[in-house]
């Protein structure tokens, strides 16, 4: 392996998770997000010669990923967030800011998830791990879709509050 | 942004990321994100959390993560539970995610000398507790919540178990021990919310909203109704709302009901030659001294407080009781017994004091017998000085140990007595018709903020004062 290849692999490994979280945050469908990530990594390698070692690899990778997201959604609009490009970019920037504390967030989220009441945690599992559509979740728990939306939103707020507190406590 | 706004936003986001938002909803989301500064960071957190959740392993969604089968997509969905819940939900209407028959959230792991009031929950050791009310009249009970938090109830206390992460103290005292995995465990009182971040802390609450939060170890967050900011308390710190301590030290201070309809008789003929005299009779007195000169004890308190602590040099206390024994003058004394009644104490936590040994001394230096309640203090008390060994005993040579008794941990009621030939002998050798007894606690607390034992004084309207029972020959 050349030094260049080693550097690339090192950088990519270091930032892989943060890049993945960035793309998945802006692309709600896992399959699309994975396509975009794969495409992005190919481009990163292809253009790695343009990357100046010592500068911010993650920022550079995000920029390329964001362009991939934009071109992907031009073709498959329905699979993307209903946000205009400016808003999506702003969201991307806001998500990037949070990503600096990604390991702590992950840990806090795991902790908070484990502390949810069983039925709420099961709801999250159906939605996120089993990746069921809302109507499938609704059918599983014998509820209307509207009720499931409401339930998911509230559980999410509970989790977010818990994560915030958890992070604050760790900083204290 | 109100909580409701946040929920609405969360729901809007849920629809948007699901591709279900209407055109109007999408427009609204875009404009909210662009025009309201607080919306974008909130949505960013939601987006990132969604991404993280999709990335989580299955074990993260199980209550007890097991490392072995992380990647096995085996579903163990409790169908019957959810279906029953859903059916009930339709009926309940407003309940957004209905719980089925509540599952046990805690276990009663230990019950020491417990007497229970009208508790809706099982009160046997090992009993599984679903959400509900526990009313402990006497003793000490330990609850182990499923989250890992441990809560010790110190009678008298009324506690509502809410979930594996929450309980409510209606009135009384609990000590919570919260390990890291149960961080966030919350104790509610009528007007205060105490969130624990991995500590040991105590909460005392009155049903009138008064509340005392005392941190033994670690960090807790306290939110008081009507206060916008929460307060952080660290080890050794406390928050006293509504003058809880003031009312605890003198619970009769704001009594407005009619004065004592019933008072123990100051002297009683018990038959069979036995007579009883209390500190309320004649020249009798009772009070206590404390190693903190700023604490003013008047002798009018309804408690006598006794404590020994090596954790805080200002909290040691000894009780002094003088009996007017003039009526026994010239009589032939056969036997004698000293009786004192334990009262529930609102100061400190019983969890931090093991079974406690108390020693009773009789003052032999008669020239010191005529102490006055209002003036008695740490510097002038009989048979006492500030030496370390005299924090748990009286000065030998000026006083004589006549016996001891042990109060089991968590005991908040009951009479304790010392019957000995030494007490009878002290009565016989008395020449000034006054007998002073000194009560000291020998047992240290295991950590700061342990219980200060309380005994009924002659001012106590609920319980009998310190009493000397004497058998006189016919």
């Amino acid at each position: 392996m050349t030094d260049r290849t080693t550097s690339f692999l090192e950088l990519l490994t270091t930032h892989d998770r943060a890049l993945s979280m960035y793309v998945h945050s802006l692309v709600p469908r896992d399959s699309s997000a994975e396509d975009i990530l794969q495409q992005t990594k190919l481009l990163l390698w292809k253009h790695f010669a343009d990357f100046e070692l010592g500068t911010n690899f993650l920022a550079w990778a995000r920029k390329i990923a964001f362009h991939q997201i934009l071109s992907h959604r031009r073709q498959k609009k329905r699979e993307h967030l209903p946000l205009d490009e400016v808003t999506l970019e702003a969201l991307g920037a806001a998500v990037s800011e949070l990503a600096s504390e990604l390991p702590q967030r992950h840990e806090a989220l795991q902790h908070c998830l484990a502390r949810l009441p069983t039925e709420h945690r099961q709801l999250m599992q159906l939605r996120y791990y089993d990746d069921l559509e809302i109507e499938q979740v609704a059918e599983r728990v014998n509820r209307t879709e509207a009720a499931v939306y409401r339930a998911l939103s509230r559980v999410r707020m509970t989790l977010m509050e818990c994560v915030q507190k958890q992070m604050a406590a760790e900083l204290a | 942004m109100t909580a409701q706004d946040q929920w609405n936003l969360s729901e809007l986001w849920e629809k948007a990321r699901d591709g279900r938002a209407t055109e109007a909803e999408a427009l609204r989301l875009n404009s909210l994100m662009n025009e309201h500064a607080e919306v974008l960071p909130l949505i960013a957190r939601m987006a990132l959390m969604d991404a993280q959740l999709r990335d989580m392993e299955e074990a993260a969604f199980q209550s007890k993560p097991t490392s072995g089968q992380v990647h096995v997509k085996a579903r163990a969905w409790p169908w019957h539970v959810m279906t029953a819940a859903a059916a009930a939900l339709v009926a309940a209407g407003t309940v957004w995610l209905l719980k089925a028959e509540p599952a046990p959230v805690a276990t009663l792991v230990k019950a020491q000398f417990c007497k229970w009031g009208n508790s809706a929950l099982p009160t046997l050791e090992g009993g599984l507790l679903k959400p509900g009310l526990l009313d402990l009249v006497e003793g000490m009970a330990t609850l182990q919540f499923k989250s890992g938090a441990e809560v010790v109830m110190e009678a008298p206390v009324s506690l509502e178990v809410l979930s594996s992460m929450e309980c409510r103290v209606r009135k009384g005292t609990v000590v919570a021990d919260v390990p890291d995995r149960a961080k966030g465990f919350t104790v509610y009182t009528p007007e205060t919310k105490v969130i624990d971040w991995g500590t040991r802390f105590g909460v005392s609450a009155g049903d009138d909203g008064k509340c005392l939060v005392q941190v033994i170890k670690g960090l807790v967050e306290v939110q008081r109704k009507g206060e916008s900011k929460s307060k952080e308390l660290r080890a050794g710190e406390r928050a006293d709302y509504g003058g809880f301590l003031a009312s605890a030290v003198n619970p009769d201070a704001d009594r407005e009901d009619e004065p004592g309809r019933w008072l123990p008789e100051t002297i009683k003929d018990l038959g069979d030659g036995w007579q009883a005299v209390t500190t309320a009779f004649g020249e009798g007195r009772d009070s206590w001294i404390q190693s903190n000169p700023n604490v003013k004890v008047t002798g009018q308190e309804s408690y006598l407080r006794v404590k020994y602590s090596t954790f805080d040099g200002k909290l040691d206390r000894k009780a002094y009781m003088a009996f007017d024994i003039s009526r026994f003058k010239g009589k032939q004394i056969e036997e004698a017994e000293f009786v004192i009644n334990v009262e529930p104490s609102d100061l400190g936590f019983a969890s931090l004091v093991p079974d406690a040994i108390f020693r009773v001394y009789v003052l032999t230096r008669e020239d010191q017998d005529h102490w006055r309640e209002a003036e008695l203090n740490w510097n002038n008390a009989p048979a006492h000085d500030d030496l370390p060994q005299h924090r748990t005993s009286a000065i030998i040579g000026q006083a004589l140990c006549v016996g001891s008794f042990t109060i089991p941990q968590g005991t908040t009621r009951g009479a304790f007595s010392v019957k000995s030939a030494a007490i009878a002998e002290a009565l016989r050798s008395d020449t000034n018709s006054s007998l002073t007894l000194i009560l000291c606690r020998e047992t240290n607390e295991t950590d700061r903020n342990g219980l200060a034992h309380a005994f009924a004084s002659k001012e106590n309207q609920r319980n009998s004062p310190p009493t000397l029972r004497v058998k006189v020959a016919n």
Side-chain angles (χ1 to χ4, degrees):
Chain A
M1 255 193 302
T2 64
D3 281 357
R4 198 73 188 158
T5 314
T6 313
S7 312
F8 177 74
L9 287 177
E10 269 174 13
L11 284 166
L12 191 63
T13 313
T14 308
H15 298 291
D16 190 43
R17 190 168 178 79
L19 183 65
S20 167
M21 286 298 108
Y22 173 79
V23 172
H24 279 272
S25 297
L26 301 182
V27 180
R29 307 242 157 189
D30 283 336
S31 54
S32 306
E34 288 303 321
D35 287 350
I36 290 165
L37 272 170
Q38 201 175 340
Q39 197 62 32
T40 302
K41 286 174 192 173
L42 281 173
L43 283 171
L44 289 174
W45 172 233
K46 201 168 153 192
H47 295 288
F48 192 53
D50 302 339
F51 176 70
E52 199 180 319
L53 281 176
T55 61
N56 190 336
F57 179 82
L58 186 56
W60 179 64
R62 280 191 191 125
K63 206 165 148 191
I64 290 179
F66 187 71
H67 284 286
Q68 286 309 298
I69 294 172
L70 289 186
S71 58
H72 192 274
R73 63 181 235 152
R74 276 180 210 119
Q75 295 148 27
K76 298 187 174 177
K77 199 165 170 56
R78 289 187 55 83
E79 290 178 15
H80 285 268
L81 294 167
L83 298 176
D84 57 53
E85 283 187 17
V86 177
T87 313
L88 189 69
E89 196 172 2
L91 179 60
V95 168
S96 306
E97 266 180 48
L98 299 173
S100 60
E101 0 169 77
L102 207 54
Q104 295 94 307
R105 281 192 176 273
H106 184 76
E107 201 177 306
L109 181 58
Q110 266 185 328
H111 173 83
C112 294
L113 198 56
R115 279 179 28 207
L116 282 180
T118 310
E119 56 269 42
H120 294 189
R121 203 171 49 240
Q122 284 167 339
L123 190 69
M124 298 311 266
Q125 178 173 349
L126 289 177
R127 180 62 169 155
Y128 288 102
Y129 183 73
D130 299 348
D131 202 19
L132 297 184
E133 298 287 339
I134 290 289
E135 53 264 43
Q136 292 172 299
V137 177
E139 196 184 301
R140 280 282 187 103
V141 299
N142 202 6
R143 301 277 306 279
T144 65
E145 287 172 34
V148 171
Y149 270 123
R150 204 154 55 238
L152 283 170
S153 327
R154 297 214 171 184
V155 176
R156 176 192 289 118
M157 289 313 300
T158 308
L159 276 177
M160 280 173 53
E161 274 169 30
C162 174
V163 167
Q164 287 297 93
K165 277 199 182 142
Q166 194 68 21
M167 306 260 307
E170 262 159 39
L171 289 176
Chain B
M1 216 182 325
T2 65
Q4 188 61 49
D5 291 340
Q6 294 190 359
W7 282 334
N8 291 342
L9 200 59
S10 176
E11 206 174 326
L12 188 57
W13 170 254
E14 187 73 43
K15 285 185 180 170
R17 76 169 204 89
D18 208 24
R20 308 291 178 96
T22 63
E23 217 158 295
E25 283 171 332
L27 272 175
R28 193 151 69 87
L29 182 61
N30 275 284
S31 73
L32 282 171
M33 287 172 72
N34 287 317
E35 287 156 29
H36 296 274
E38 71 272 30
V39 173
L40 185 66
L42 189 66
I43 294 284
R45 274 162 50 205
M46 291 185 196
L48 181 59
M49 202 174 78
D50 281 333
Q52 286 181 296
L53 283 168
R54 273 147 53 200
D55 189 47
M56 286 271 175
E57 290 174 340
E58 189 186 12
F61 295 93
Q62 315 291 328
S63 52
K64 277 184 194 155
T66 47
S67 50
Q69 348 167 294
V70 167
H71 295 287
V72 184
K73 276 213 176 193
R75 292 283 153 275
W77 187 254
W79 276 111
H80 55 290
V81 172
M82 285 310 284
T83 317
L89 183 107
V90 175
T94 52
V95 183
W96 65 279
L97 238 190
L98 205 110
K99 296 173 172 80
E101 177 71 7
V105 294
T107 310
L108 177 64
V109 290
K110 201 164 160 196
Q112 294 157 270
F113 311 99
C114 287
K115 275 193 188 155
W116 299 91
N118 291 319
S119 294
L121 297 174
T123 49
L124 287 176
E125 268 188 16
L128 294 174
L129 307 173
K130 293 174 179 178
L133 187 68
L134 283 167
D135 200 6
L136 185 64
V137 183
E138 281 180 34
M140 249 170 91
T142 307
L143 312 184
Q144 173 96 55
F145 284 75
K146 283 223 161 143
S147 57
E150 201 173 275
V151 171
V152 180
M153 300 171 63
E154 300 184 356
V157 56
S158 189
L159 177 102
E160 208 178 332
V161 174
L162 298 174
S163 74
S164 68
M165 285 295 291
E166 297 159 298
C167 65
R168 184 190 307 280
V169 180
R170 294 203 176 170
K171 58 179 174 191
T173 297
V174 301
V175 172
D177 231 320
V178 180
D180 272 359
R181 69 196 156 101
K183 268 187 191 173
F185 186 82
T186 303
V187 179
Y188 297 90
T189 79
E191 295 192 6
T192 311
K193 180 179 174 185
V194 187
I195 307 157
D196 190 296
W197 297 111
T199 60
R200 191 171 196 198
F201 70 102
V203 178
S204 292
D207 46 8
D208 53 0
K210 284 179 184 166
C211 175
L212 178 75
V213 181
Q214 174 105 39
V215 181
I216 298 162
K217 278 197 186 95
L219 173 75
V220 305
E221 182 184 338
V222 184
Q223 290 170 12
R224 179 77 171 167
K225 198 166 139 188
E227 287 179 7
S228 56
K229 282 183 105 178
S230 63
K231 196 186 270 185
E232 277 186 3
L233 295 180
R234 284 161 201 285
E237 292 180 333
R238 68 169 164 235
D240 184 0
Y241 295 105
F244 187 91
L245 272 181
S247 65
V249 173
N250 190 0
D252 296 345
D254 50 7
R255 277 175 73 105
E256 282 174 10
D257 50 333
E258 289 175 299
R261 280 165 299 196
W262 177 85
L263 270 172
E265 288 177 55
T266 52
I267 188 150
K268 257 185 185 167
D269 192 336
L270 303 169
D272 209 17
W274 281 95
Q275 295 189 0
V277 58
T278 75
T279 49
F281 176 73
E283 298 295 312
R285 285 148 281 151
D286 56 22
S287 187
W288 82 89
I289 58 170
Q290 182 167 348
S291 52
N292 180 353
N294 296 326
V295 174
K296 296 276 175 264
V297 183
T298 63
Q300 301 301 306
E301 294 82 359
S302 58
Y303 294 150
L304 302 174
R305 299 193 175 276
V306 182
K307 170 162 175 162
Y308 172 54
S309 168
T310 52
F311 293 88
D312 189 332
K314 290 185 168 173
L315 299 177
D316 292 330
R317 300 174 177 92
K318 295 156 91 168
Y320 279 77
M321 296 150 284
F323 295 89
D324 182 334
I325 53 169
S326 52
R327 63 178 289 119
F328 303 119
K329 206 169 184 177
K331 302 262 170 68
Q332 193 186 333
I333 291 161
E334 294 186 338
E335 290 178 81
E337 182 180 20
F338 164 68
V339 185
I340 193 162
N341 281 284
V342 176
E343 281 271 293
S345 172
D346 296 345
L347 294 183
F349 303 111
S351 310
L352 305 177
V353 182
D355 293 357
I357 299 167
F358 290 81
R359 283 196 193 281
V360 183
Y361 296 82
V362 61
L363 185 67
T364 49
R365 281 277 299 273
E366 289 201 317
D367 59 319
Q368 296 184 27
D369 255 333
H370 295 283
W371 51 274
R372 296 160 69 101
E373 282 187 353
E375 287 155 18
L376 186 76
N377 65 44
W378 195 257
N379 297 321
N380 64 16
H384 173 78
D385 60 32
D386 200 34
L387 290 176
Q389 66 267 33
H390 296 141
R391 290 177 174 246
T392 53
S393 68
I395 299 176
I396 301 307
Q398 301 183 27
L400 182 73
C401 181
V402 292
S404 68
F405 57 86
T406 300
I407 301 184
Q409 184 176 33
T411 305
T412 55
R413 293 274 173 207
F416 289 81
S417 66
V418 171
K419 190 173 176 180
S420 72
I423 300 177
E425 183 50 42
L427 280 161
R428 282 181 214 119
S429 53
D430 177 80
T431 62
N432 65 0
S433 295
S434 180
L435 188 76
T436 298
L437 297 184
I438 306 166
L439 185 62
C440 305
R441 191 174 93 190
E442 224 177 56
T443 306
N444 194 2
E445 55 194 10
T446 55
D447 204 341
R448 194 174 286 275
N449 299 317
L451 185 82
H453 279 90
F455 301 90
S457 72
K458 63 179 162 41
E459 284 79 12
N460 197 296
Q461 311 222 347
R462 298 167 294 267
N463 219 333
S464 304
T467 304
L468 209 51
R469 288 153 51 93
V470 180
K471 191 178 183 194
V472 183
N474 290 323

